[in-house]
Amino acid sequence: MERLTTWWASLTPERKRVVVVAAAVAAAVLLLAMVLLGRQESFVTLYSRLSPEDLTAASVELSRLGIQHQVVESEGAIKVPADKIAQARMALAQAGLPRSGAFAVAGFELLDKTSFAASDFVQRANYLRALQGELARSIMTLDPIASARVHLNLPEQTVFEEHREEPSASVVLSLKPGRTLSPEQTKAIAFLVSQAIEGLKPEKVVIVDTKGNLLWSGDGISNHFGRASEFLGMRWEIERAIEQRLQSLLDRTLGHGRASVQVSVELDTNKRESESEIYMPAGNSPQGVPVSHEEKQETYQAQGAPVAAPAGTASNLQLVPPTPVTLLGGNYTRTERKMEYRVSRRIERVEQLPGTVKRVSVAVLVKGELSPSEQTALRQAVMAAVGLDTSRGDTVAVVPVRFERATVPQPFERRRAPKTPGLSWCWVVTATRPRLQRQNLM
């Protein structure tokens, strides 16, 4: 403050008047700018991602109606004041704009125009069109998608299980210039469509682009390369992890730079599912737990008895005296036992996902000479550190290598010219003084 007071006191009256006028003008300009900014209307986005044709047509229509607007060509957007957004939207809708993009696709608003005289076929067709339009709108909200079309195949419901067909869907995508879809985004679109339709599986969804490229197919043809790259990335990560672990161990043991490690991993890319049902006795009993017991016993006992005369006329007329015959008696006993045991049952379902390690091969190059015992010890240490299993074919190779360091040519050095002996200032001054004296004498 003292410096400002001192500076103001040092000014002349004319300069003081100039400073006062300049300060007043600056204040007036600042006040005017604040007023203009306060009165400026805020613009909001009316539509975005419009085609150039729709953007131009919408701008012409709003200009004709006298609605203030701004056009952002880089975003394909058109902006209007916040209090004019409803009027502008109604005006463009009456003019049939926009004609492309997500707003041009009809959705469930198609059902608002249904007539009571419409047949079941027309109502079902409108419902199918509404589903397709809503799905296309949802897909077009993704950043790389310029436009999309969805075709649904929804079979009619039937009470016969053997005649029932599964629904399917086809999606056609138009990408923005210079944009591509990653396998994860393609998979997300397939799952988005499948989860929006009852009974639709992701395997029944096909996605293609406008260039005819197959992006997703349920039979695995489209995502074959995606899965291959996924397995290659997994293999690379496993190999790098093992190499870093071994290299750290060898650097601490043999010294930094004395060993080099290379690892190759083979992965199982097949998916396996197995189911087994095992019956085993319950508890400690080898037979199991008794459930029911049934025992039957049958006993028979008979004594001898006379037999009547033989059949015929003579015996009936008592012409022949009867001969006494006696049958021998007999008895028997029959016993039947039935025991039912109950055993426990165990069902195992095992699913082996792809990506398991089938075989690991490790190569270790060691600088210098190693004795056979040292090679064996180093091989055992590597196998223990990695957890190799020889039963599955894992191998380790330890090879001593003699490194010969190549001679590196020395960089070319520019030779400096020898310094010429320079004359000191005292000699120069001494040499010039006699010359000046001779000139003065002349």
Side-chain angles (χ1 to χ4, degrees), residues 20 35 62 97 105 200 431:
V20 172
V35 172
L62 293 178
L97 295 173
V105 180
L200 179 59

Side-chain angles (χ1 to χ4, degrees), residues 53-130:
E53 295 79 9
D54 287 345
L55 194 62
T56 303
S59 178
V60 171
E61 183 66 20
L62 293 178
S63 299
R64 187 183 66 85
L65 297 176
I67 300 177
Q68 189 179 5
H69 62 279
Q70 295 178 354
V71 176
V72 183
E73 297 182 358
S74 59
E75 301 178 0
I78 186 168
K79 298 182 178 181
V80 296
D83 56 342
K84 299 288 185 180
I85 186 169
Q87 180 183 356
R89 196 179 294 274
M90 290 295 296
L92 294 181
Q94 291 178 359
L97 295 173
R99 301 185 181 91
S100 62
F103 298 97
V105 180
F108 281 117
E109 59 269 13
L110 287 173
L111 303 179
D112 299 335
K113 305 176 183 178
T114 303
S115 174
F116 290 101
S119 62
D120 294 340
F121 176 79
V122 174
Q123 293 180 359
R124 188 173 186 277
N126 289 336
Y127 175 71
L128 193 62
R129 289 176 57 194

Side-chain angles (χ1 to χ4, degrees), residues 310-329:
T313 306
S315 60
N316 293 333
L317 297 177
Q318 299 292 327
L319 297 177
V320 179
T323 301
V325 178
T326 302
L327 294 178
L328 298 177

Side-chain angles (χ1 to χ4, degrees), residues 411-431:
F412 178 75
E413 296 182 0
R414 296 183 60 184
R415 295 183 178 180
R416 296 181 180 180
K419 295 182 179 180
T420 56
L423 298 178
S424 60
W425 286 102
C426 59
W427 288 99
V428 174
V429 173
T430 306

Side-chain angles (χ1 to χ4, degrees), residues 14 17 57 100 216 231 265 353 355 373 419 438:
E14 292 79 6
R17 286 193 294 270
S100 62
W216 174 268
F231 283 118
V265 176
L353 298 178
S373 60
K419 295 182 179 180
R438 288 195 299 268

